[in-house]
Amino acid sequence: YSVSFMAPLRNRYFALRHGESEANVAGIIVSDPTTGTAQYGLTPAGVAAVQHSATRFADEVLKSAGTSSDSRLPPIRIITSDFKRTQQTAQTFAATLRESLKGLEIDEAGLEPLSSKELRERYFGELEGGPNTGYSKVWMEDEVDSDSQPFGSESARAVQQRTASLIRSLETQAITAEEGGLQQQPIVIVVSHGDALQILQTTFQGLPAGQHRSLPHLNPAELRELVSSVDGAEFWSKSQ
């Protein structure tokens, strides 16, 4: 079965894949938290790309979301994987937003990234440290069985369940803010990794986890809104 979200969601979600990392340049798989939380941060090009994404987000999404009579913006939360490359991405994104939004009323506390293990990179087992060409071997098995664990990797379904669990928790918490009597929809940025975000997209689309490669690929530093396209009432019973 697939899990999905009940529409409409209380929060507005955007997925941000980490910028180009040293592991990307080296062409290796770094999915073990022991290594990933301490090593392989962003390259200078990766930092610049994240800054560009943040500037565009401020101009095209946040500033347009404010009201014409008030400079206040919707409440923002940034939730990130605890890997070094995602931590640096989240910090860079937040710092750039602060700079881009000078003169506007923003929730400073909301721009402090919060870490979540649920957003960690998918674990690739025996492929750890090897060439990133190994990804495709796991993806082929995902298409056949969402519960498969080739090479001792984390199954696609397990990744779907943990990432969806975070979203469900955020929906339950329901970040709220009042502006002039009008409640604005909070915005949540989830900063994570290629496979984790690819699989999280399946939840918003109501697809089995193993079909994640059928959805548009997220490039490094790409920011994409996650929109629920189905009535996902079954999510609340099946993903707990």
Side-chain angles (χ1 to χ4, degrees):
Y1 61 85
S2 62
V3 296
S4 53
F5 294 123
M6 183 180 296
L9 296 172
R10 293 180 177 180
N11 303 314
R12 189 178 178 188
Y13 294 92
F14 288 82
L16 174 61
R17 185 181 173 189
H18 65 78
E20 180 188 72
S21 70
E22 294 165 346
N24 292 144
V25 173
I28 60 173
I29 295 174
V30 177
S31 64
D32 187 329
T34 303
T35 303
T37 57
Q39 300 178 52
Y40 298 101
L42 299 185
T43 65
V47 171
V50 172
Q51 291 171 331
H52 177 70
S53 290
T55 300
R56 284 193 60 190
F57 178 70
D59 291 340
E60 298 175 12
V61 178
L62 289 183
K63 292 178 181 178
S64 64
T67 67
S68 58
S69 60
D70 200 324
S71 61
R72 293 178 62 187
L73 299 172
I76 305 167
R77 294 294 181 272
I78 301 175
I79 316 293
T80 179
S81 157
D82 59 355
F83 276 41
K84 185 174 182 178
R85 54 191 184 266
T86 44
Q87 290 281 314
Q88 291 182 343
T89 296
Q91 293 290 350
T92 300
F93 191 87
T96 306
L97 280 187
R98 287 191 183 93
E99 185 64 28
S100 299
L101 299 173
K102 277 185 175 179
L104 298 174
E105 188 172 343
I106 60 175
D107 177 9
E108 285 288 343
L111 291 181
E112 285 297 326
L114 301 174
S115 295
S116 172
K117 293 181 180 179
E118 283 84 356
L119 292 176
R120 281 179 170 175
E121 174 65 291
R122 180 184 187 180
Y123 180 60
F124 283 93
E126 299 167 16
L127 300 178
E128 178 72 15
N132 58 17
T133 51
Y135 288 135
S136 60
K137 299 176 183 178
V138 175
W139 296 337
M140 286 189 293
E141 296 297 325
D142 289 344
E143 293 177 4
V144 177
D145 181 4
S146 295
D147 288 313
S148 65
Q149 297 176 292
F151 308 100
S153 65
E154 184 180 12
S155 73
R157 193 190 304 277
V159 177
Q160 186 188 61
Q161 289 175 334
R162 66 171 163 89
T163 54
S165 175
L166 172 67
I167 303 299
R168 185 179 66 246
S169 175
L170 290 168
E171 284 294 294
T172 302
Q173 296 169 22
I175 307 157
T176 59
E178 295 289 336
E179 177 177 325
L182 177 65
Q183 182 172 319
Q184 293 187 298
Q185 186 178 26
I187 292 176
V188 179
I189 313 294
V190 289
V191 186
S192 188
H193 308 262
D195 255 45
L197 291 176
Q198 200 71 25
I199 293 170
L200 178 58
Q201 287 186 101
T202 66
T203 310
F204 279 83
Q205 298 300 312
L207 295 174
Q211 293 183 20
H212 59 92
R213 299 309 295 179
S214 69
L215 298 173
H217 179 66
L218 273 161
N219 293 311
E222 182 178 347
L223 184 71
R224 179 181 299 168
E225 185 166 8
L226 299 172
V227 179
S228 179
S229 63
V230 296
D231 180 0
E234 72 271 19
F235 165 78
W236 300 97
S237 60
K238 292 184 177 180
S239 67
Q240 295 186 50

